[in-house]
Amino acid sequence: METWHPGLQALAATLFTWFLTALGASAVFLTRRMPQWVLDGMLGFAGGVMIAASYWSLLAPALTMAEEGTLPAWLPVAVGFLAGGLALRAIDAVLPHLHLGFPMEEAEGIPTPWRRSVLLVLAITLHNIPEGLAVGVAFGAAASDLPGATLDGAVALALGIGIQNFPEGLAVSVPLRREGLSRIKAFWYGQLSGVVEPVAGVAGALIVLASKAILPYALSFAAGAMIFVVVEEVIPESQRSGHADLASVSCLVGFAVMMTLDVALG
């Protein structure tokens, strides 16, 4: 894999993360219902993974790279981080979507007659954009031979995102089945939510390959986008159904798992 083009590396890594989304979504063939506490725990775990990945796999390398430039190291990282969050907020305000467990009256984005199931899938798709972007940017950074970015670190990020995508796929398909969709449709929509990751991953890798100067901004942009998703979507959903303590502990476990992966492999 070391000899592959970074774009191809990013594609392979994000196809892996998509596959684990599809694998999680396939659980709908085994059960129609999943205890809410399981879904909340999985969401909490996913949030912990994303928070840890945002720092160890993205912000820390961005700060190391920024130290090589002429600007204060914190400046490009802060700019990129805030830009990532604001970009996701802009998409969130426009794209019609509905978070899991929320009534139709709380759908966000531009008003639309689309069905509830479509809006649920779009919410998870929005969630997956920064994940794919983060993986792609990490592989592009590793190919630039700059301090703080390694191929092992990019692989660790992809592995961590993939691990949290498994419960994420399940957390999409099972509620869709509960909404009345057939098992095949629930699986199809569940895995479809992860298809955006390879697209965002390849785009992220190619963008950072165009210029080393944008790497600190790109890495921190991906981190800001992921943190926005965690704060705006993942954690509130995990806390909504009365299993706040379990979701919080699961978040800590997810954080520890991603931190361990990044430190051990990166």
Side-chain angles (χ1 to χ4, degrees), residues 8 10 13 26 42 93 99 155 157 193 195 200 207 229 250 261-262:
L8 187 57
S26 68
M42 288 178 173
H99 299 305
V155 170
L157 175 60
S193 67
V195 170
I207 289 171
V229 168
S250 298
L261 281 173
D262 196 274

Side-chain angles (χ1 to χ4, degrees), residues 134-147:
V135 173
V137 168
F139 277 97
S144 299
D145 294 324
L146 289 174

Side-chain angles (χ1 to χ4, degrees), residues 24-256:
S26 68
V28 76
F29 293 111
L30 303 177
T31 180
R32 177 172 182 162
R33 303 191 69 86
M34 185 68 64
Q36 188 61 44
W37 66 267
V38 174
L39 297 177
D40 291 342
M42 288 178 173
L43 282 173
F45 179 88
V49 169
M50 294 173 72
I51 293 171
S54 295
Y55 177 72
W56 270 277
S57 298
L58 299 170
L59 288 176
L63 286 166
T64 301
M65 294 174 193
E67 290 173 353
E68 303 290 316
T70 56
L71 295 173
W74 58 267
L75 183 57
V77 177
V79 169
F81 183 82
L82 293 174
L86 291 174
L88 258 290
R89 174 66 188 99
I91 297 174
D92 184 76
V94 174
L95 181 70
H97 63 283
L98 176 67
H99 299 305
L100 294 171
F102 284 51
M104 280 294 289
E105 295 75 26
E106 296 187 36
E108 300 179 23
I110 296 175
T112 173
W114 293 346
R115 293 191 306 172
R116 177 182 176 88
S117 57
V118 175
L119 296 177
L120 289 170
V121 173
L122 286 175
I124 302 299
T125 302
L126 177 63
H127 177 164
N128 286 336
I129 291 174
E131 294 177 5
L133 181 64
V135 173
V137 168
F139 277 97
S144 299
D145 294 324
L146 289 174
T150 65
L151 181 59
D152 288 343
V155 170
L157 175 60
L159 183 58
I161 294 295
I163 289 172
Q164 67 97 29
N165 273 3
F166 178 84
E168 189 174 274
L170 188 154
V172 177
S173 63
V174 171
L176 288 176
R177 175 64 175 151
R178 201 163 57 221
E179 294 278 338
L181 272 69
S182 68
R183 294 183 191 275
I184 292 177
K185 283 188 176 181
F187 166 75
W188 174 253
Y189 284 129
Q191 65 80 32
L192 192 64
S193 67
V195 170
V196 70
E197 289 193 10
V199 177
V202 173
L206 295 180
I207 289 171
V208 299
L209 285 173
S211 172
K212 290 184 179 181
I214 69 171
L215 271 169
Y217 297 94
L219 286 165
S220 52
F221 181 96
M226 284 217 291
I227 291 297
F228 177 86
V229 168
V230 172
V231 175
E232 198 269 344
E233 176 185 340
V234 178
I235 289 179
E237 287 179 22
S238 71
Q239 305 277 324
R240 186 178 176 90
S241 302
H243 305 105
D245 290 341
L246 173 63
S248 297
V249 172
S250 298
C251 183
L252 294 177
V253 172
F255 187 98

